[in-house]
Amino acid sequence: MSKVHALYHIVFSTKQREFTLTDHYLEDVYRFIWAQLRECGCPLYRIGGIGNHLHLLINLPSTARLSDIVRNIKANTSSWLMRDPRFPDFRGWSREYYAMTVSPQLKDVVVNYISNQRQHHSGRDLGSEMMEMCGEAGFVYDSRDMNE
């Protein structure tokens, strides 16, 4: 039997990084995404975010492709959010996303990081967060990332 443990920290934002996800209803968005992940057999360890972006920590099944999982989540939630009157300003997700693998030993660190997004962003914007995350992963940061 194959044994695969592939933790991914995924971040994606709303179009133009606009604050279109109503704080009061973010838990409903999280539940919707969790249901999508359950359908494809993809364990979710943590989801969190603020009005313009979300973080997820998942365990990618060996039978799935990361790009398919993210595309399905974004397409299904986008369709739902655009029809839901609780999110009148939501115009969709940005085309891009950020993802990096996470060592199993660091799982709890990432879970804690995602759990504390509200406090984390009290004095910091998404751009500075992404610049730091890209630097840690060896990516070149571009301020246009996750805008469109």
Side-chain angles (χ1 to χ4, degrees):
M1 171 191 252
S2 298
K3 294 181 182 3
V4 176
H5 193 70
L7 296 176
Y8 278 90
H9 180 186
I10 303 165
V11 182
F12 52 92
S13 70
T14 59
K15 280 192 179 181
Q16 301 298 311
R17 300 181 188 178
E18 294 175 337
F19 284 81
T20 58
L21 300 175
T22 310
D23 287 347
H24 188 71
Y25 300 113
L26 265 177
E27 288 293 325
D28 293 336
V29 176
Y30 300 163
R31 281 195 273 298
F32 187 91
I33 291 172
W34 186 26
Q36 297 293 309
L37 290 166
R38 270 196 321 259
E39 282 182 24
C40 61
C42 188
L44 173 67
Y45 292 107
R46 184 62 66 199
I47 186 170
I50 60 172
N52 71 343
H53 73 282
L54 298 178
H55 291 253
L56 293 82
L57 180 62
I58 66 167
N59 188 359
L60 188 69
S62 62
T63 57
R65 290 188 345 199
L66 181 64
S67 60
D68 292 341
I69 296 289
V70 174
R71 182 183 66 245
N72 288 338
I73 289 171
K74 289 167 72 174
N76 292 334
T77 56
S78 187
S79 176
W80 170 64
L81 289 167
M82 286 185 185
R83 290 189 320 267
D84 193 312
R86 297 175 297 171
F87 303 94
D89 299 323
F90 183 82
R91 298 183 305 118
W93 300 110
S94 64
R95 278 185 283 195
E96 299 90 11
Y97 63 93
Y98 164 94
M100 76 178 274
T101 57
V102 174
S103 166
Q105 292 82 2
L106 295 176
K107 180 179 111 179
D108 291 340
V109 172
V110 176
V111 164
N112 186 50
Y113 179 81
I114 293 171
S115 297
N116 292 307
Q117 280 295 293
R118 180 131 343 268
Q119 299 92 327
H120 179 72
H121 283 286
S122 63
R124 185 175 185 186
D125 67 4
L126 177 58
S128 61
E129 178 182 39
M130 292 311 305
M131 186 182 309
E132 181 180 315
M133 292 177 84
C134 286
E136 290 173 3
F139 298 146
V140 174
Y141 174 75
D142 185 324
S143 62
R144 297 170 294 185
D145 289 345
M146 296 197 314
N147 265 340
E148 298 178 21

